[in-house]
Amino acid sequence: MDVLKHKCFLEELLFWTIKYEFPQKMVTFLLNMLPDQDYKIAFTKTFVQHYAFIMKTLKKSHESDTMSNRIVHISVQLFSNEELARQVTEECQLLDIMVTVLLYMMESCLIKSELQDEENSLHVVVNCGEALLKNNTYWPLVSDFINILSHQSVAKKFLEDHGLLVTWMNFVSFFQGMNLNKRELNEHVEFESQTYYAAFAAELEACAQPMWGLLSHCKVRETQEYTRNVVRYCLEALQDWFDAINFVDEPAPNQVTFHLPLHRYFAMFLSKAVKCQELDLDTILPDQEMLMKLMIHPLQIQASLSEIHSNMWVRNGLQIKGQAMTYVQSHFCNSMIDPDIYLLQVCASRLDPDYFISSVFERFKVVDLLTMASQHQNTVLDSEHERSMLEGALTFLVLLLSLRLHLGMTDDEILRAEMVAQLCMNDRTHSSLLDLIPENPNPKSGIIPGSLSFESVLSAVADFKAPVFEPGGSMQQGMYTPKAEVWDKEFDPVMVILRTVYRRDVQSAMDRYTAFLKQSGKFPGNPWPPYKKRTPLHPSYKGLIKLLHCKTLHIVLFTLLYKILMDHQNLSEHVLCMVLYLIELGLENSPEQESEEEESAGGQERCHDSWFPGSNLVSNMRHFINYVRVRVPETAPEVKKEPPASTSSDGLASSQCSRRKSLQRENSGTAQVFSLVAERRKKFQEIINRNTSEANQVVRPKASMKWSAPGATPQLTTAILEVKESILSLLIKLHHKLSGKQNSYYPPWLDDVDVLIHPEIPRYSHGDGMTAVERILLKAAVQSRLNKRIIEEICRKVTPPVPPKKISSAEKKTLDKEERRQKARERQQKLLAEFASRQKSFMETAMDVESPDADIAMEIATSEQHVSEAIYDCVICGQSGPSTEDRPTGLVVLLQASSVLGQCRNSTEPKKLPTTEEEQIYSKDTCAALHDVRLTTLQRYFKDSSCLQAVSIGWEGGVYVQTCGHTLHIDCHKSYMESLRNDQVLQGFSVDKGEFTCPLCRQFANSVLPCYPGNNMERSLWQSHSNKCMQDLVQEVEDLQEQLGTFPVSISSETNLSKEMESVMKDIKSTTQKKYTDYSKSPGSPDNDFLFMYSVARTNLELELVHRGGNLCSGGASTAGKRSCLNQLFHVLAMHMRLYSIDSAYNPWRKLTQPMQDKNPELISEELPEVPVLYRDVSSLLLIQILTMPQPLHKEHFTCIIKVLFTLLYTQALAALSVKCSAEDRMAWKESGALKKNTSGGEKSWEVLLGHVVSELSKGKIFEEGETEELTVVNPDSVECYLQQFCLPFLRITSLLQHHLFGGDLPSCQEDEEFTVLASCLGLLPSFQSSDQFTSASCLNWPVPAFDMISQWCSELASFAERHPDQVKALLIQEPKWDLPRLLQLPENYNTIFQYYHRKTCTVCTKVPKDPAVCLVCGTFVCLKGLCCKQQSYCECVLHSQNCGAGTGIFLLINASVIIIIRGHRFCLWGSVYLDAHGEEDRDLRRGKPLYICKERYKVLEQQWVSHTFDHINKRWGPHYNGL
């Protein structure tokens, strides 16, 4: 680190730029001159010269993030150019400077390492708690280093320079053993440090990434020298490390560090050497002593992982679990656990196998458990942890012996195996799969190893499941799921175990595997993990097979099989599964020397050992072991037994070769109990004392089964067990035990010899433990004739159950905890399945979101209602009973303001979302706008009170009432609300606003609609058709309307029911904003309330019609099934409507049914006239008539009202038609009508009536105003069609109303018959004629002579035309044909929207908003959370949702591609309707993939908007506090 001497202006400039922490303008200025080549070289050299100064400034900086970004901004432009980087390396020692600077930087935060020898350790490590590491301050320097190492010429320089390598290894050793964890044994740790993430990030970025960078240049034979260099200095650094921490042979207990970068450098360069450079492994491996030391710490990590998962580190808090997960997590695993396991595989292949196996069991602390005795004492492990640690040890051995990631698999095979493992755990989206496949962490070295691309492997192993929308409302992404043949042939549980971060994923993979086997009919029960054939080992690692063929392992396997058979404690199905897996691995990988000479050679010299004659598993399997001497606690049952006579001379154990007499051994004497731990120590000493050449021929020591720690507790005593089993016999007995049947195993080759020739039979590839045992026995028989014979012999002897007598109690006690758990799990599964199906059927009946076929239950209920009084169940108190005036019952309802109807347009083509300046949307053609204009026009020319009854409002801000169909007592509801108020739990709704969730189905609601107490007997009686004539009925209707104020529930005496009705009416009013209820010129006029109330009924009828698709062709009961509450709503509205009296002089009923006497014309001029009858909205008139009649209504009166109103509607249609057609047509009709006028049935012929209308209207100035738009072809058919279309909307509304008031199904029909079917259903058509000669006029029933009425109605128009000729026609032509409400049509590609809107300026503040959004209903561009557009504390989106949707807004957030819904005071994220090519959302556009519209999702969104079900289907609502 020399002192800086500046010689030119550039150096001075750069110095001050660094001093002031790289101001942006200076950075830009310095970079702008780079195109000049001379400047570029000079600047780069200056930059390198100041590198140390940069590091110092960076360390002091408070804004290190910003500064880091700016440094990299410069350096990436300088160092990415290979030519320049090479030049600077040669001329300015760039590599030396970088490595030294990094070293200096880390030296500032070193602490003493406490690993191994806390007092005397000389090793220092970085302190992960320092800001330097916690905030990743080092990353710009490391990233520069990685950047220059990506150039081959520079990397070669580095790998050739011994001094640099030494310095670098020195740097790496600072990270060796950092973040040491010490296991807390007594107290829970007070403060959980979170430094571990800094440690993992540091190892990955500062050690692993440069390592991967260097490895990428060691791909060919010519680079062998580099590998030798790295390995040499790596081993030197490791030796220094072992010396510094005073490491001999035993690791310190209860300590673990996950950070061994030196070990990992060593491992990865070894792997590369063998895989790519064809180096001989033995030439670069150290001696045995060093290998023994090398294996200790990685092995310690594996054992600690098992301890952590066994909850032995629970007092260290959650962070230790976090470390265990990070260690195996996809971004870290191939720089952490993979090299560790590979290093252990290399050590295992070169060390003595007995030594290695015993080390493993000792590290996992389960040595004491491995005894034949039924009881034991474990000095180092609590018994509750024994089982999971034993499982851990065996699983580790299986991993060690099965994994081939570095031992011979090609890159493409690795990629495929990784992908299969991830897909087997869960279906995955494309992006999560990309993220989960471990990649080479060095960004420069290409994304995924291997020549085959990610996509081609993916398409080979997985099927794509397109994104679907589930009825519960959760959005599915496009998922990849494994193909059937992958489950069948490639599912590899070992790989899954290696790659699972959460243990539950292993279970998930097994559950999915089970489901596949059940579905495909391959195996019905609970399968065991399948055994998968491995890729062949690379010749360099053949030594690994020795582990499977060593006596120590065979003793362990034998003991465990015996213990499982005898039901000893702390063993599980998983243990057995792993034991069998290891046996099978051994059979699959047996050394080829086993031949028939085994039989001829006398066993004399072979049987020198107390356990097994040789080391080959194939022959050891059949070896019978008679007696075993064990050390047991004095309380153990074994002590009581007298040893059999034969043992006296026969020390440790008598081994009997089959069909030979037991061989007596002279030298035995009394047996000594060998300790495996002591054996390991001895061996270690031997190796240290001899030189390496001798160490290879070391004699295998005797190993006794019982390994105890040297200081074993004194109360152990020795007992001798009679065993008389071999591995084969144990396996056969296990088969019997697993099957629960005697002699269940029968050798298959006795029936079919081919089995031995082709042992790969598919029926053995999937199955449970019995299948595994059968598969193993078959393989054993295939490999040796002798084994085959012995298996047959064992099967011939009838085997008594083992152990005798004891089995029943033992089985009851431990019927393997596993099996009990399994059964419990199955029960739970069953219950859950049942629960799910119930829930599903409940959802279908309760929600009925879209099922058009109505609830049968509902229909039964309606049919019963005709007979007796309606009975309601209260979902709170559970009592049933009628609704009474004192204790009324109510329906749980949700009231919401809605502007959906107002969004109907009269074009069938939906409007598009504007994506250019030219496309703009104008709202003047929406239903709401046209109704608005019409009302305003009427109010200009006619009397206000009469205008307010001539139309309906509620197209915008109408109140829609829906229910889940559940009822409750209103007093119960009040106490329920009280309890919600006092509940402190944070709810997603506001109780103060009256919101709650239905106590039964949890559907969102905010009011209760009282059920009107009615005896339904009357209802059915009144439905009978009477034979009164039309005139009488008309008179009766009029009389009934006169009895205003007389109501079945007398208003004077306030009952609970009437109070509730009033309160619900208040709720209905307060649901919508004032501007949607106030239309009169004089504020607060009662006419307003009157208009509002019948409009609520209109809104609900119209919306139901929309939900049915705009027509009634489908018929049936209401699609909403139980959700419709129109009947109750009508009672509430009727009760309130009758409080307002209609002046009998103005009663529209008279105008419709009696010819009027001429009034005095002078009166008219003073005030505005009434609205002419022909201008009135007939559907509104219908609701006014019905709601002002006493309830319940008689069916005959209802029909009478309809008949009268139909005549008016028909006349309106004729008038509109006459205005639409040309003068010549009018003349023709006038004449042809006049001719037929006096024929019979003239009143029921449209030609006659049209002629009459034309002649009547001609009296005024109506036809004079200019020429009108003409009907295209005026022939009788098109006229008939026009008339029917004009009348249909009224008929639909009326039919729905009749259906709700009087029950009875709606008939279904074809679209072209809709008119006739509805007309006859309403009783307008006396007898249904055949449709060919049907005319709409035949439905007319005139109460008084038609021509008088028509003349009277037309004269009103004529007198209006006198004064305002220009307005007459505009008000006559009503466009009744509305299309269904639709959201805006979105473009196919999201980019189209993004490009237009993300730079668009806000209309209010003319700035580009930070969070732009666009309304999907009307296309308005708004700022989300924009403070600039706030009005009276309401942000723009909330404001817009009130103006556009009466409180419901649907916005697409441009920068996030997601949709948010605002509903009143709450909002929720709905999800995205744009998905990428793999069917995934890209929220916040983080991945930057091209997105395309998902039409199904958009349809669902539209469906939820139209059906007002956002509140029910979306679950995650939160308050927005007007801030959106």
Side-chain angles (χ1 to χ4, degrees), residues 389-411:
M389 287 303 287
L390 180 61
E391 288 173 2
L394 293 168
T395 309
F396 163 68
L397 278 176
V398 167
L399 280 176
L400 187 82
L401 292 160
S402 308
L403 285 182
R404 300 279 183 271
L405 291 179
H406 290 283
L407 309 185
M409 282 174 86
T410 65
D411 287 345

PDB file of all heavy atoms in Angstrom, residues 389-411:
ATOM      1  N   MET A 389     -31.503 -39.727  15.320  1.00  0.00           N
ATOM      2  CA  MET A 389     -30.072 -39.689  14.992  1.00  0.00           C
ATOM      3  C   MET A 389     -29.651 -40.954  14.245  1.00  0.00           C
ATOM      4  O   MET A 389     -28.814 -40.908  13.346  1.00  0.00           O
ATOM      5  CB  MET A 389     -29.239 -39.524  16.275  1.00  0.00           C
ATOM      6  CG  MET A 389     -29.314 -38.137  16.872  1.00  0.00           C
ATOM      7  SD  MET A 389     -28.812 -36.833  15.729  1.00  0.00           S
ATOM      8  CE  MET A 389     -27.049 -37.090  15.708  1.00  0.00           C
ATOM      9  N   LEU A 390     -30.231 -42.097  14.633  1.00  0.00           N
ATOM     10  CA  LEU A 390     -29.916 -43.335  13.911  1.00  0.00           C
ATOM     11  C   LEU A 390     -30.414 -43.217  12.467  1.00  0.00           C
ATOM     12  O   LEU A 390     -29.712 -43.577  11.521  1.00  0.00           O
ATOM     13  CB  LEU A 390     -30.571 -44.529  14.614  1.00  0.00           C
ATOM     14  CG  LEU A 390     -30.323 -45.890  13.951  1.00  0.00           C
ATOM     15  CD1 LEU A 390     -28.842 -46.215  13.918  1.00  0.00           C
ATOM     16  CD2 LEU A 390     -31.075 -47.003  14.685  1.00  0.00           C
ATOM     17  N   GLU A 391     -31.635 -42.693  12.335  1.00  0.00           N
ATOM     18  CA  GLU A 391     -32.147 -42.477  10.974  1.00  0.00           C
ATOM     19  C   GLU A 391     -31.207 -41.557  10.209  1.00  0.00           C
ATOM     20  O   GLU A 391     -30.892 -41.790   9.040  1.00  0.00           O
ATOM     21  CB  GLU A 391     -33.549 -41.840  11.030  1.00  0.00           C
ATOM     22  CG  GLU A 391     -34.634 -42.802  11.499  1.00  0.00           C
ATOM     23  CD  GLU A 391     -35.980 -42.107  11.714  1.00  0.00           C
ATOM     24  OE1 GLU A 391     -36.083 -40.896  11.462  1.00  0.00           O
ATOM     25  OE2 GLU A 391     -36.933 -42.793  12.117  1.00  0.00           O
ATOM     26  N   GLY A 392     -30.734 -40.515  10.889  1.00  0.00           N
ATOM     27  CA  GLY A 392     -29.828 -39.563  10.239  1.00  0.00           C
ATOM     28  C   GLY A 392     -28.547 -40.234   9.773  1.00  0.00           C
ATOM     29  O   GLY A 392     -28.081 -40.017   8.647  1.00  0.00           O
ATOM     30  N   ALA A 393     -27.967 -41.077  10.647  1.00  0.00           N
ATOM     31  CA  ALA A 393     -26.698 -41.727  10.306  1.00  0.00           C
ATOM     32  C   ALA A 393     -26.874 -42.636   9.100  1.00  0.00           C
ATOM     33  O   ALA A 393     -26.065 -42.626   8.158  1.00  0.00           O
ATOM     34  CB  ALA A 393     -26.192 -42.531  11.504  1.00  0.00           C
ATOM     35  N   LEU A 394     -27.949 -43.442   9.125  1.00  0.00           N
ATOM     36  CA  LEU A 394     -28.162 -44.374   8.013  1.00  0.00           C
ATOM     37  C   LEU A 394     -28.474 -43.614   6.732  1.00  0.00           C
ATOM     38  O   LEU A 394     -28.004 -43.967   5.654  1.00  0.00           O
ATOM     39  CB  LEU A 394     -29.300 -45.337   8.362  1.00  0.00           C
ATOM     40  CG  LEU A 394     -28.980 -46.311   9.513  1.00  0.00           C
ATOM     41  CD1 LEU A 394     -30.228 -47.010  10.001  1.00  0.00           C
ATOM     42  CD2 LEU A 394     -27.941 -47.335   9.067  1.00  0.00           C
ATOM     43  N   THR A 395     -29.295 -42.551   6.864  1.00  0.00           N
ATOM     44  CA  THR A 395     -29.636 -41.764   5.663  1.00  0.00           C
ATOM     45  C   THR A 395     -28.374 -41.140   5.086  1.00  0.00           C
ATOM     46  O   THR A 395     -28.172 -41.109   3.867  1.00  0.00           O
ATOM     47  CB  THR A 395     -30.641 -40.656   6.029  1.00  0.00           C
ATOM     48  OG1 THR A 395     -31.726 -41.245   6.732  1.00  0.00           O
ATOM     49  CG2 THR A 395     -31.163 -39.976   4.776  1.00  0.00           C
ATOM     50  N   PHE A 396     -27.490 -40.668   5.973  1.00  0.00           N
ATOM     51  CA  PHE A 396     -26.245 -40.076   5.478  1.00  0.00           C
ATOM     52  C   PHE A 396     -25.429 -41.112   4.716  1.00  0.00           C
ATOM     53  O   PHE A 396     -24.889 -40.837   3.646  1.00  0.00           O
ATOM     54  CB  PHE A 396     -25.428 -39.491   6.637  1.00  0.00           C
ATOM     55  CG  PHE A 396     -24.002 -39.232   6.273  1.00  0.00           C
ATOM     56  CD1 PHE A 396     -23.679 -38.228   5.354  1.00  0.00           C
ATOM     57  CD2 PHE A 396     -22.974 -39.996   6.795  1.00  0.00           C
ATOM     58  CE1 PHE A 396     -22.368 -38.006   4.981  1.00  0.00           C
ATOM     59  CE2 PHE A 396     -21.652 -39.781   6.424  1.00  0.00           C
ATOM     60  CZ  PHE A 396     -21.346 -38.780   5.509  1.00  0.00           C
ATOM     61  N   LEU A 397     -25.348 -42.339   5.265  1.00  0.00           N
ATOM     62  CA  LEU A 397     -24.589 -43.375   4.556  1.00  0.00           C
ATOM     63  C   LEU A 397     -25.201 -43.659   3.187  1.00  0.00           C
ATOM     64  O   LEU A 397     -24.493 -43.854   2.199  1.00  0.00           O
ATOM     65  CB  LEU A 397     -24.552 -44.664   5.383  1.00  0.00           C
ATOM     66  CG  LEU A 397     -23.496 -44.700   6.495  1.00  0.00           C
ATOM     67  CD1 LEU A 397     -23.609 -45.977   7.305  1.00  0.00           C
ATOM     68  CD2 LEU A 397     -22.090 -44.577   5.905  1.00  0.00           C
ATOM     69  N   VAL A 398     -26.525 -43.687   3.155  1.00  0.00           N
ATOM     70  CA  VAL A 398     -27.181 -43.940   1.862  1.00  0.00           C
ATOM     71  C   VAL A 398     -26.846 -42.811   0.878  1.00  0.00           C
ATOM     72  O   VAL A 398     -26.518 -43.059  -0.288  1.00  0.00           O
ATOM     73  CB  VAL A 398     -28.716 -44.067   2.053  1.00  0.00           C
ATOM     74  CG1 VAL A 398     -29.417 -44.018   0.718  1.00  0.00           C
ATOM     75  CG2 VAL A 398     -29.042 -45.369   2.766  1.00  0.00           C
ATOM     76  N   LEU A 399     -26.902 -41.562   1.360  1.00  0.00           N
ATOM     77  CA  LEU A 399     -26.547 -40.428   0.488  1.00  0.00           C
ATOM     78  C   LEU A 399     -25.112 -40.582  -0.003  1.00  0.00           C
ATOM     79  O   LEU A 399     -24.816 -40.440  -1.194  1.00  0.00           O
ATOM     80  CB  LEU A 399     -26.643 -39.113   1.271  1.00  0.00           C
ATOM     81  CG  LEU A 399     -28.013 -38.492   1.480  1.00  0.00           C
ATOM     82  CD1 LEU A 399     -27.898 -37.260   2.365  1.00  0.00           C
ATOM     83  CD2 LEU A 399     -28.623 -38.082   0.152  1.00  0.00           C
ATOM     84  N   LEU A 400     -24.220 -40.861   0.951  1.00  0.00           N
ATOM     85  CA  LEU A 400     -22.798 -40.938   0.639  1.00  0.00           C
ATOM     86  C   LEU A 400     -22.537 -41.983  -0.441  1.00  0.00           C
ATOM     87  O   LEU A 400     -21.728 -41.790  -1.343  1.00  0.00           O
ATOM     88  CB  LEU A 400     -22.036 -41.295   1.913  1.00  0.00           C
ATOM     89  CG  LEU A 400     -20.523 -41.245   1.813  1.00  0.00           C
ATOM     90  CD1 LEU A 400     -20.052 -39.818   1.983  1.00  0.00           C
ATOM     91  CD2 LEU A 400     -19.878 -42.121   2.879  1.00  0.00           C
ATOM     92  N   LEU A 401     -23.276 -43.116  -0.337  1.00  0.00           N
ATOM     93  CA  LEU A 401     -22.990 -44.218  -1.248  1.00  0.00           C
ATOM     94  C   LEU A 401     -23.811 -44.143  -2.536  1.00  0.00           C
ATOM     95  O   LEU A 401     -23.506 -44.819  -3.502  1.00  0.00           O
ATOM     96  CB  LEU A 401     -23.283 -45.546  -0.538  1.00  0.00           C
ATOM     97  CG  LEU A 401     -22.297 -45.832   0.621  1.00  0.00           C
ATOM     98  CD1 LEU A 401     -22.858 -46.845   1.576  1.00  0.00           C
ATOM     99  CD2 LEU A 401     -20.962 -46.301   0.050  1.00  0.00           C
ATOM    100  N   SER A 402     -24.874 -43.308  -2.529  1.00  0.00           N
ATOM    101  CA  SER A 402     -25.742 -43.295  -3.714  1.00  0.00           C
ATOM    102  C   SER A 402     -25.471 -42.107  -4.625  1.00  0.00           C
ATOM    103  O   SER A 402     -25.708 -42.178  -5.822  1.00  0.00           O
ATOM    104  CB  SER A 402     -27.215 -43.214  -3.315  1.00  0.00           C
ATOM    105  OG  SER A 402     -27.528 -44.205  -2.396  1.00  0.00           O
ATOM    106  N   LEU A 403     -25.050 -40.993  -4.045  1.00  0.00           N
ATOM    107  CA  LEU A 403     -24.933 -39.793  -4.876  1.00  0.00           C
ATOM    108  C   LEU A 403     -23.795 -39.943  -5.877  1.00  0.00           C
ATOM    109  O   LEU A 403     -22.720 -40.436  -5.537  1.00  0.00           O
ATOM    110  CB  LEU A 403     -24.677 -38.561  -4.017  1.00  0.00           C
ATOM    111  CG  LEU A 403     -25.893 -38.055  -3.256  1.00  0.00           C
ATOM    112  CD1 LEU A 403     -25.523 -36.816  -2.480  1.00  0.00           C
ATOM    113  CD2 LEU A 403     -27.029 -37.732  -4.207  1.00  0.00           C
ATOM    114  N   ARG A 404     -24.054 -39.489  -7.077  1.00  0.00           N
ATOM    115  CA  ARG A 404     -23.020 -39.560  -8.111  1.00  0.00           C
ATOM    116  C   ARG A 404     -22.792 -38.183  -8.739  1.00  0.00           C
ATOM    117  O   ARG A 404     -22.338 -38.093  -9.865  1.00  0.00           O
ATOM    118  CB  ARG A 404     -23.450 -40.525  -9.224  1.00  0.00           C
ATOM    119  CG  ARG A 404     -23.694 -41.951  -8.781  1.00  0.00           C
ATOM    120  CD  ARG A 404     -22.379 -42.717  -8.652  1.00  0.00           C
ATOM    121  NE  ARG A 404     -22.590 -44.112  -8.293  1.00  0.00           N
ATOM    122  CZ  ARG A 404     -22.668 -44.545  -7.046  1.00  0.00           C
ATOM    123  NH1 ARG A 404     -22.585 -43.688  -6.051  1.00  0.00           N
ATOM    124  NH2 ARG A 404     -22.832 -45.823  -6.789  1.00  0.00           N
ATOM    125  N   LEU A 405     -23.167 -37.115  -8.012  1.00  0.00           N
ATOM    126  CA  LEU A 405     -23.104 -35.784  -8.640  1.00  0.00           C
ATOM    127  C   LEU A 405     -21.698 -35.470  -9.141  1.00  0.00           C
ATOM    128  O   LEU A 405     -21.516 -34.896 -10.200  1.00  0.00           O
ATOM    129  CB  LEU A 405     -23.547 -34.704  -7.643  1.00  0.00           C
ATOM    130  CG  LEU A 405     -25.032 -34.728  -7.293  1.00  0.00           C
ATOM    131  CD1 LEU A 405     -25.353 -33.654  -6.285  1.00  0.00           C
ATOM    132  CD2 LEU A 405     -25.888 -34.534  -8.542  1.00  0.00           C
ATOM    133  N   HIS A 406     -20.681 -35.842  -8.342  1.00  0.00           N
ATOM    134  CA  HIS A 406     -19.306 -35.579  -8.789  1.00  0.00           C
ATOM    135  C   HIS A 406     -18.584 -36.863  -9.141  1.00  0.00           C
ATOM    136  O   HIS A 406     -17.396 -36.849  -9.399  1.00  0.00           O
ATOM    137  CB  HIS A 406     -18.528 -34.860  -7.687  1.00  0.00           C
ATOM    138  CG  HIS A 406     -18.979 -33.452  -7.458  1.00  0.00           C
ATOM    139  ND1 HIS A 406     -18.636 -32.418  -8.297  1.00  0.00           N
ATOM    140  CD2 HIS A 406     -19.757 -32.907  -6.506  1.00  0.00           C
ATOM    141  CE1 HIS A 406     -19.180 -31.301  -7.856  1.00  0.00           C
ATOM    142  NE2 HIS A 406     -19.874 -31.564  -6.775  1.00  0.00           N
ATOM    143  N   LEU A 407     -19.311 -37.981  -9.113  1.00  0.00           N
ATOM    144  CA  LEU A 407     -18.614 -39.261  -9.261  1.00  0.00           C
ATOM    145  C   LEU A 407     -18.928 -39.942 -10.586  1.00  0.00           C
ATOM    146  O   LEU A 407     -18.940 -41.158 -10.654  1.00  0.00           O
ATOM    147  CB  LEU A 407     -18.996 -40.217  -8.126  1.00  0.00           C
ATOM    148  CG  LEU A 407     -18.881 -39.704  -6.692  1.00  0.00           C
ATOM    149  CD1 LEU A 407     -19.182 -40.812  -5.716  1.00  0.00           C
ATOM    150  CD2 LEU A 407     -17.493 -39.171  -6.431  1.00  0.00           C
ATOM    151  N   GLY A 408     -19.257 -39.189 -11.591  1.00  0.00           N
ATOM    152  CA  GLY A 408     -19.459 -39.862 -12.876  1.00  0.00           C
ATOM    153  C   GLY A 408     -20.699 -39.434 -13.641  1.00  0.00           C
ATOM    154  O   GLY A 408     -20.904 -39.878 -14.762  1.00  0.00           O
ATOM    155  N   MET A 409     -21.541 -38.600 -13.053  1.00  0.00           N
ATOM    156  CA  MET A 409     -22.713 -38.148 -13.826  1.00  0.00           C
ATOM    157  C   MET A 409     -22.293 -37.034 -14.775  1.00  0.00           C
ATOM    158  O   MET A 409     -21.454 -36.197 -14.439  1.00  0.00           O
ATOM    159  CB  MET A 409     -23.801 -37.614 -12.890  1.00  0.00           C
ATOM    160  CG  MET A 409     -24.600 -38.684 -12.201  1.00  0.00           C
ATOM    161  SD  MET A 409     -25.738 -37.994 -10.988  1.00  0.00           S
ATOM    162  CE  MET A 409     -27.152 -37.606 -11.973  1.00  0.00           C
ATOM    163  N   THR A 410     -22.921 -37.016 -15.952  1.00  0.00           N
ATOM    164  CA  THR A 410     -22.644 -35.896 -16.870  1.00  0.00           C
ATOM    165  C   THR A 410     -23.501 -34.711 -16.457  1.00  0.00           C
ATOM    166  O   THR A 410     -24.467 -34.854 -15.715  1.00  0.00           O
ATOM    167  CB  THR A 410     -23.019 -36.280 -18.308  1.00  0.00           C
ATOM    168  OG1 THR A 410     -24.442 -36.471 -18.330  1.00  0.00           O
ATOM    169  CG2 THR A 410     -22.345 -37.562 -18.740  1.00  0.00           C
ATOM    170  N   ASP A 411     -23.148 -33.539 -16.979  1.00  0.00           N
ATOM    171  CA  ASP A 411     -23.890 -32.328 -16.613  1.00  0.00           C
ATOM    172  C   ASP A 411     -25.374 -32.451 -16.938  1.00  0.00           C
ATOM    173  O   ASP A 411     -26.225 -31.991 -16.176  1.00  0.00           O
ATOM    174  CB  ASP A 411     -23.303 -31.105 -17.337  1.00  0.00           C
ATOM    175  CG  ASP A 411     -21.966 -30.719 -16.728  1.00  0.00           C
ATOM    176  OD1 ASP A 411     -21.686 -31.202 -15.617  1.00  0.00           O
ATOM    177  OD2 ASP A 411     -21.211 -29.955 -17.353  1.00  0.00           O
TER     178      ASP A 411
END
